[in-house]
Amino acid sequence: MRVSSSKVNDILKNQISKTLAQVVADIKTPQESHQFLQDFFTQAEFESFSKRLAVAYWLKKGRSYTNIKNNLKVSSATIADVANMMKKKGFELAIKKLEAEEWANQWADKIKKFVGK
């Protein structure tokens, strides 16, 4: 799929970006989200966005550029770009969501062990 290089009217551009945001916000489950993302993005776009989030998460966890580069098969330039993007509110929100999910899973495991299930 090719995207036109022609500029869209700013008002229309704002409307369509809000529409996309609303669709994303209305998705209820991880399964629905995964299905939407896989169908909406090309395989390369999906992988790129997924890797970008993984890079940000691993940087936040303190992993080295070398570790990230070798495991995710991304360039040092990509890692540096993501490191700069991590200062943006959207990235901060995504990382907070990931950390909250990780925390919840850790506590769920501890509770399961405690109650013997």
Side-chain angles (χ1 to χ4, degrees):
M1 175 182 187
R2 293 185 184 251
V3 177
S4 172
S5 61
S6 301
K7 294 263 182 179
V8 174
N9 171 299
D10 285 341
I11 294 170
L12 180 57
K13 182 179 174 181
N14 188 34
Q15 288 174 337
I16 61 177
S17 66
K18 284 183 178 181
T19 300
L20 175 60
Q22 186 62 55
V23 167
V24 170
D26 289 344
I27 293 173
K28 302 290 186 219
T29 67
Q31 295 81 9
E32 285 180 353
S33 179
H34 190 258
Q35 186 67 58
F36 169 75
L37 294 171
Q38 280 197 316
D39 292 348
F40 194 77
F41 293 118
T42 66
Q43 185 176 354
E45 290 168 334
F46 184 72
E47 184 175 324
S48 176
F49 283 104
S50 300
K51 283 184 176 183
R52 191 177 300 161
L53 182 59
V55 168
Y57 181 73
W58 283 2
L59 284 171
K60 180 77 171 164
K61 290 290 188 184
R63 289 197 183 194
S64 69
Y65 272 42
T66 302
N67 179 280
I68 295 169
K69 185 177 176 179
N70 291 338
N71 283 291
L72 294 178
K73 308 300 183 210
V74 295
S75 68
S76 296
T78 295
I79 300 167
D81 287 344
V82 171
N84 287 329
M85 286 186 250
M86 287 176 64
K87 299 169 190 146
K88 295 182 177 185
K89 289 184 182 195
F91 265 86
E92 289 177 358
L93 177 63
I95 295 301
K96 283 181 185 177
K97 297 271 186 192
L98 287 173
E99 290 174 335
E101 182 71 21
E102 180 181 53
W103 179 86
N105 287 337
Q106 288 171 351
W107 274 100
D109 289 343
K110 289 178 183 181
I111 291 168
K112 285 176 188 174
K113 288 176 186 173
F114 180 73
V115 297
K117 289 188 177 184

